[in-house]
Every structure is written in C-alpha cells, then in structure tokens.
Amino acid sequence: MAVFQHDVLIIGAGLAGMRAGLSAQAAGADVAIISKVHPVRSHSNAAQGGINAAVDEDDTWEDHAFDTVKGSDYLGDQDAIEVLCSEAGGEVLALERMGVIFHRDETGHLGSRAFGGQQRARTYFVGDITGQALLHVMYEQLIKQGLRIYEEWFVTELIVEDGSCKGAVVIDITSGQMHVIGAKAVIMATGGAGRVYEPSTNALICTGDGISLAYRAGAPMMDMEMVQFHPTTLKGSGVLITEGARGDGAYLINADGDRFMEKYAPNMMELASRDVVSRSEQTEINEGRGVDGCVFLDMRHLGMDLIRERLWQIREIGIDFVGVDIVKEPIPILPGMHYIMGGIKTDVWGRTPLDGLYAAGETACVSVHGANRLGANSLLDTIVFGKRSGYDAAERSKNGHATMPGEDYAVEGEKKIRALLDRPLNGDRVAKIRLDLGKVMNEKVQVFRNEDQLKSALEDVRALKKRYDTVGVEAKGKVFNTDLLFHIELGFMLECAEMVCLSSIERKESRGAHYRVDYPTRDDANWLHHITCSYTPGGPQLGTAPVTITRWEPQERKY
Amino acid sequence: MRYAFWPGCVSKGAAPELYTSMVRVAPELGIELVELYDGNCTGAGVISEHSMETADALNARNFAMAQRLDLPLMNICSTCQGVQSMAQNRMRKNSKLAEEINLTLAEEGLHYDAEAGLDVKNFLWVLVEDYGLDRLKSMIKKPLTGLKAGPFYGCYILRPEPILGFDEHPDRDKYLEFVIEALGATLITYEGQDKCCGFPILTINKQNSLTMAANHLSEAQQEGADCLVTPCPLCHLNLDAQQPDAAKYASVNGLEVPILHLPQLIGLALGISPEELRVNRHVVSSRKVLAALSS
Amino acid sequence: MQVKLKVKRFDPESGEEPYYQQYSVEMPETATVLDALIEVREYHDGSLSLRCSCRSAICGSCAMRINGRARLACKTSVRSLAEEGEEILVEPAGNMPTIKDLVADMAPFWDKVRAVKPWLQPSGPPPEREYVVPNEAMQALGEVMNCIMCGACVSDCTSLEVDKTFLGPAALAKAWRFVGDPRDAQDLSRLREYSEPSGIWDCTRCNICVQVCPKDVKPMDQILKLRAAAVHEGIRNNNGSRHTLAFVELVNANGRLDEFRLPIFTEGKFNIIGQLSYLPSAPRMIRSGKMPPVFPHKISGVKHVKRIFKQFGEREPGPAKLVSAGGH
C-alpha cells in the first residue's frame, strides 16, 4: 500500500489520455497516466476511417463546423464545435509532424477521403487503421517524453475532499495491491460504455468506468440518451466495418440488390449521417428486405488495388470473421451499438462542474457531437479536447491545493474489496448479468425507441442492479484477478445503462440518434436543450442544460 | 522421372558427401538428374541483404536454364528451396521486375517465364509428392529397422508457408517423418526439429549459433535418436561440423548425434554401402547409425 | 460444437509449479479460441486469467501459444485447428516470464521497443504544415505500421530463445518504421546503434516471426531492410555486414560461394584473432574430407553473373530520404 502524488493524474491512456498527458507535461506539470490496459491496447485503435479537419486551403473550418452542427441535429454546443473545428487543421498537421504516416495526394501533401454527413472530403487517414496509427504514434511520443505510466492499474473510486477531486484509489492489477494516487487535477479519459450493449463494436474494456466514477463523485452527465448505432457492423461478432468503405464508394444493398439509400437520402446516399443510414437499414430489415437480419455492404466494384491500399484490414476482418472476401462478395452488416455521444459534462477546457475533475474523449460530453456524431470526428475530439484539458489541468495544478489524500482511502478500498471477495457465491454470475444487460439494451433501447420499451428496459436494468448487489466473485487471488475487475466493471455498466434509459424516456421527441416512434419529429420548442443526470443515493436525478447556439440557427435536417 | 538438378554450392564445397550420395542414389531410384553445371549461387538469403533485385536475377538465371530444358528443378538444400521459392514469388507478383531481369538474361540467350513459373522442389518434396512413398517403399532393400532417426528440416523449407506451397501441400512440414517411417526406421520427434540450426549467425554470434545447435542436438539425444536426417547441408554444417564445439553448450553429457543427409538415409535403405554414401565423411562419427543398423 | 482446451495454468500465489488443466465447452461452429477461453472464464472457472479486449485483432492483447505456435486467440478459429473432440493446447506466450496463467510479463518486450528510440527524429525546423513526401513512401511503411505490438513474433523468436539480449523482431520492425521514414533524419546513428551486438545481425533469418505474425508485418523482412541500409551506409565494423559483403564479393567472383574464404573475409582479411577462432573446426573438417576447396570452382558463365551484379547490385536504396519539408 502506498501513496503517490502528481500534479496531474490522467485516468485512461487512449488518444485523449495520452494527448492530455503530453500537453500537461509540456505546460510544466508532473504528470502520471494510469490505465487498466497497456496504452496501445486502448480502444482508440478501433477508429478505422480517419480524422476530420479543414486542412485544404479551399476548405474552411466553418464548413466543417456547420456539417458537425447539422450532424448533431442541433444539439451540439456551437461554441465547443467552433473550438473543435477551428483547431482541427493545426492538430492534424501536428500529428503528421509527430510521425503519423497519413495518406498523401499525388503532390505529396495530405490526401483525404469522403466520410458521412459532410459536404466535402476532409477525412485524413492511414488506410483503415487510422486510430491504430495515431495511437501508436502518440505512444511513441509518450516514450520520447518519458511520461510516468501506471500500466495495468485499475481505478476503483475518485477521491473528493472539500468539493474538489484530489486523486483516485487504485488497484495494481499485477500484484493486487491497492494504492492512493493524489493529484491537484484529475483528467478522466476512459473512453465509452459500449459494452452496456451486446453486441457492440466496442472492445471488452469499454465498460463506462470513467462515466460512472465521475457520476459517483458528483459530476453531472449529459446527453446520455444519445447512443450511436453504426450502420456497418459485421453480422455475428458486431465487429466494425469502417465508414471509409462507403466514403471510398461502397454501396449498401438489400436482399434484392437495390441501393436502398436512394429512398431515404437521395443526395448523400450511403454517406448520409450515421443515424439516418442506420434507421434506413433497420427499416429495410424490418420490412423484410434483409437476409437473416442483415443488409449488405458491397465493395466488389472498388477493385483490388484500392482495397489493398485503403481497406486491407476490412478485407482481413471479412475473411477471418465471416469467411467473406470483400473483393468477391458483398458482406453482411447491420446497425450496431458503436459510440455514446453522452458522458461527463465539460466545458471547452475539459473542466467538469466538479472542481479539479476534467474529462476528455468519449467519456466526456462537451458537447460537440450532440445527438449524432459525424464519422471521423471522434478521433478529432480526443486530440483537441485531450490537449486542452491537459493544458488547463497543468495550469490549475500550479496553484492547486496543498493537502493530499492519505493512505486511509486505500485501507477503506481494501475493506470494500475484501467484502466483495467474502460475499458468498449464490449461483448467479457476473457474466450472466452482463449478458442480460446487453440484450435488454440492444432490444429495448435501440435505433427505433418507444416509451413502453424504454420503461421496460429501465425496470429490467433496475432488476439487474438488484442481482448485482448479491452476486459474488469466484476467484479469490490477488495477482491478475480479472474476475474481481469484471465485477467492479459491471457496477459501472449498470449505472451507465440506468442513465441511458432514464434520459431516453425523458426526451419526448426524435433527434439524431434518439428516434422515438411515439414522438417521430424533432421538437425544438420543447426539447432544444441537454438532459443531465446527477448522482443521488436513490438514483440519477434528471436536469437540463441549455444548448449554446452561436451562428447556426436550427433548420430542417435533410441529406 | 527427369529433373534439372541444382546441387547448391555447399554440396560442391564443404559437404561433398551430399553431392556424392545424391548422384549415387538418384539412378538407383530411377530418377535422372540433368545438372546445371553453369548455375550460380542462389544467394542463400545473404545476397538479398545486399540487393534483393540482384538475388532475384541470379535465381532467374538458374530458373531459365531449367525452363530451357523444359524440366522441373530439383535442389538438395532447404535454404536454396526457400530462396528460390521467394524469388519466384516476387517475380510472379512484379512483372516489371521480371521483365527487367529478362533483359539482362537475354544477353546470354536466357529467358525466365515468371508467369508460367517452374516447379522447384527439394529432393524431399520430390520423394513424397512426385515419386511417392509407396514406390519408395517398394525400392527398399535393407529396411532401416532398429535405427532411431529424428528429422531436422531447416527453416527455409518450412517458412513462410504461403510462399512454400503449403496451401496446396499442407503436410510439407511432416515429410521427413513420413520418409523416416517409410524406410522402416523408428521416428524420433523433438521440439527443436523445425527450428533454426544457428548456421546463419555462426560467424556473427558464435555462442548463440552453437547454443541453438546444442539445444536441438541435446533434445534429440535425450529422446533417444541415433541420428538426425536433414535436407539442408547448411544445417548439416552447424549440427555436424560444429557439434564438438556446440557440446559445451549442451544440456547432456557426451553429445554425439550423427547427422545424415537425406540421400544418405535413402541410400542406406536402398542397400548402398555406407562408404559409397560417404557416411564416414562427417565430423561426428556415424558409428551409432551403423551399430543400430547391424544389431 | 464441443471444444476441448488444455490450458497451461500458473498461479504465483500458490507456490506450485505450472500445470495443465482441461476444459470442455459448448461453442458455435464459428467460435474463436478466445471465445472459448472467455466462455471458460465467465461460466466455468473465474480464476483463469488472460488478456483480451478488442476481439478483432487490433489491440494485440491476446497473443499466446496455441498448439505450440504464437497466435492471437481472437483471430484463431477453433475449426481451423481441431476437429470436434480434438484438444487444443493453450499456453502463455514464450520468451517472456509468465505473470499468471496466460498473462505474460511484457516488460522486457517494451524495454526493447524503447531501446530502438521509437519516435520520429526529423532534423531542422519543422515545417509550418506537413512534411511533403510521396504517398508510396507512406504506403511502404504501412506494413510496419500494421504492427499491433502483440508480441507473437517475440514469443516464438528462435534467437531470443538462446539470447535474451537480442532486440528481437518487434522492436527491430519498429526500428525500420523510422529508418524507412523519409521524415526521420537519424538514419545513420540509428543504423549504427542497431548494428551493435544484440541488434540486426543477430537475427538468424529463420522466418518464424514472418510465419506467426497475425498482421503480416514480416518483421524479418524489415530486419533485412535494416541490414541492407546499414551496409549501404557503410557501417561495416561488424561481422554481420562483412559476412554479407564477403558473400557478395565471392559469388560475384566465382558464381558460387567460396566457403574457404567466406569466414576469413567475414572476420576481416587481417583479423588474425578472428580467423583463429575457426581453427578448431578446420582440422576436423580436413580430417573428414570436408574442407572446402582452397582454389574455388569458377562457373563458366561467371561473366554473366558479374553482369547481373553490375546491373542490379548498386541499385538497392539505403534509408529513405526526405523529399521536402516545405508546405504548400
């Protein structure tokens, strides 16, 4: 048991966390990053298609911002979107100079591809492994700068004293030892909560840790009803197939071989925004024009050369996971849970309403994505707001509080863990509860929603929470006890799920990813505001927050 | 059966007993070998470190000679096999490279048709795939009963699989086992049989090289092998000629594992005398082999 | 289908030696080995530890030895390995210590990655915008950028097996990512460092890393590119590059390898000590009639071989060079 101290503690070592770490260190802070997996195992890897920015001289950040605002169905905060898009170009160029091997055009300058919901091609990419390429280069920079990383350490709770966040209680997974890390500022960068759904494109580590930890510590959540279903997830495993495929010209076809997007988005076709495409696919499937619950992504006409250069990983995935070679056959896909627009409410510097606590990346809700995130804006979000929160946290730490939390927190933490391990086994299993949760969410809080289903989902989730309160941990050891970690993670997930259900019931209109069959239109008069969730011992307390509109008044949204 | 025959540099240099035994065994089996006397070194994967294109062109020259004879090409060296297969693969994929190489070859009247390709096979593959184990069995005059033999493949005849035709012939990593058993010997298997013998780094990191050899030899001896058999003369050099030096890194005392070339093992089963097969021309005495066979 | 697993277990807290445990789980036909392990962990034995996350071969967590060969469990279908009822052997990655069960201690792996100075080191003031480089140069690095640092290559590397100091295939493939990057300006100093003992010349070219890499990174090929670049840059103060150059010189002279002179040239023509190290094996070889001929055999077409060397030999590029640091 030990107490460590740093100026800035970053929880999570994906792109947002690493970017925050680099920027906090550059601003003069003593920084440490803690992550439950090695940094390059983070889920930022999974972003395939690219990162958006107005880099070309004939593109403008304002155009990018407008596309983002429209994509968000006007729920995005326009001051934050202006920050995101105006800083995008500089950040993408900086990534290039760090070493990212971005695709080039014939002049050797950065070359882009088209992505959904945008008027022009401004997605910069490395084949279909952009997230991986960025993540590994960011890790290179981390090595270069010698940042302190607590690798394979797991946070069990945040420490709040006198209304300020002052650190975290942690388990070193390898030894099972508990420690306290004190910090003058804490940045939450733990990614999303995708595993709340089953299936999901998200990695098994995406269990909403940061959202739940911050919620329990008293920071409000925002836009939790906004869950993105990606239009092209693979049949069966739910593995992601990049939007870049459609950006590069792939078609969506139904069982009859028709390009059905003609009916739903005649202008943008397959490149309409994700919520629109996912609903169109689900409609085709529901009306009997799918096969086995799927429609198809057809890349046969793209040719071997393009596929080899830009979509090699997708080809590999198709062959490995469904035995389909995309060069020769259309691949079966369906909409699948992919991203949560909601998260910890922050301002444009990553500051949450809880003093000393910051958040960046998918964990956070600035809100730049509003009701629907544009493809390739998520990597951008991690970089821009990771950097900004790192900078601000470092500045804050320069005149931060002097008293640091002591070892008591670890002693208390250990008691809780001991109690959990001592809990008798009752025949139920963490995995069973998790699977039930995933199915409930996938069936009842999905692309098309209605009040009855949502309420039933909420009841189910609350019943699962009851089961959770009595389920035990099978493995009793200290070293690499993943069984214990899964138990703690399930607690995080159930809290996230409850907030998603409650917020979805609350919003009685259709906006972006939140489509209510019982309220099928957007209702700006009553619902052009954010829904927030705050912790109370009895469950989340709903509230509202205004949407910031700077220059783009809400209009009808058509693609 | 007729093959263009590429013996490789080592069978004409430091392991002449390989060449001698091969040309002795071939007619016995009814295989006619048309030697490419003017063939050149395949590069052994070393020239490609200097220049991949040079290595490919050198190999194309040998291929062209075989194509001119309209014969498949047989080698007796795992390393040659790997290098030749990789060169073929690169030229098949890169028609521009093949074209350029052919411009140079044209000056001596040679041409390698990379697209049509050429069957390039180690003697081991020839035996199992072309000749057939049944036919081989029918030729046996002195079954190797009582001899405990272990395989040692050599990396280049095993990896990388896609380039070495494993899609079509998935059992190519078991052929030595097949042959050992077909000849009536007792098969000994051990972990190191498909690993690296250490030869390529002998002059670079002698200790590592000898440790590798020592590990495999120790394992084989512990498993009770009277000898190992290899289709690769480079492996032979490290496992045989360096064996006395490798002994100090061995995990067993009294390391003594004779290493036979593949044609020598075949020859013994065909009833050819050990002397004719030059089984006595190794650094490690073959007495264990002869003793096992005579008991 | 019924999937049978035989899993190597190790619990450092128990004080017991590693042992094997058998499991049998019912899985769909399309299941991967990871699916089966997760099924075990979640529904049969919560004490089984392994790393996994993405389930789609991009996070690199689940490299382990399956049926004796390093693979990503998430990319290995059960069907590809075993018929119904056949047992699949699952062990932790090799060449690394085991923390628990299938969890390998990757600290030595990352130490070596760090040792190659894995970050871009351009020279001069950075451009205002991006470095201008041909797309082909970026694409050529795609192969190494595809590396997910799973450690499969390191697990099965035959050089590492005998020498833990070897930098190993993953770190060296990463090294080529910089030497091969036209934006990096430290090629010469990098290549000098990588040419030191335990570096590029200690690879045996056994191809195991190429074989087991789940992402087709071909680490050995990247090591060979580093060797070619080192030779090209004139870094010749080591037996590795001298061996390559001697080999080339001798084949160029005779059309075939001259094994008598190869070790002599490799140690350096005037390096008496180095040459003496071959003496113990030389008399043995002479005694058994295996000494390579002192006067090498020259093939009759040697002039054609020389022509090939002349035409292609000087062409191989060294490390990639920057085209322009200018903006638009």
Side-chain angles (χ1 to χ4, degrees), chain A residues 41 96-97 99-100 104 108 110 132 140 152 202 204 309 313 320 429 434 474 478-480, chain C residues 13 42 46 49 51 53 55 58-59 75 118 128-131 133 135 139 145 149 174 177 183:
Chain A
R41 314 285 177 230
E96 192 282 330
R97 293 192 297 267
V100 176
R104 311 287 159 149
L110 297 184
Q132 179 189 325
E140 291 166 11
E152 293 186 330
N202 283 204
L204 300 176
E309 188 197 334
Q313 184 184 242
D320 289 345
R429 298 191 82 96
R434 193 203 301 129
E474 190 185 349
K478 277 191 167 300
V479 176
F480 236 92
Chain C
E13 294 174 83
E42 305 219 307
S49 297
R51 292 192 186 98
S53 179
R55 304 158 300 132
I58 47 170
C59 79
K75 205 183 179 215
E128 225 169 273
R129 291 176 58 94
E130 71 269 48
Y131 288 98
V133 288
N135 193 41
Q139 265 188 59
M145 239 17 243
M149 299 279 160
K174 186 81 176 172
R177 175 246 177 290
R183 298 168 296 182

Side-chain angles (χ1 to χ4, degrees), chain A residues 153-168:
Chain A
W153 285 32
F154 184 96
V155 177
T156 59
E157 61 185 311
L158 293 180
I159 296 169
V160 181
E161 283 178 358
D162 310 324
S164 292
C165 183
K166 292 191 173 177

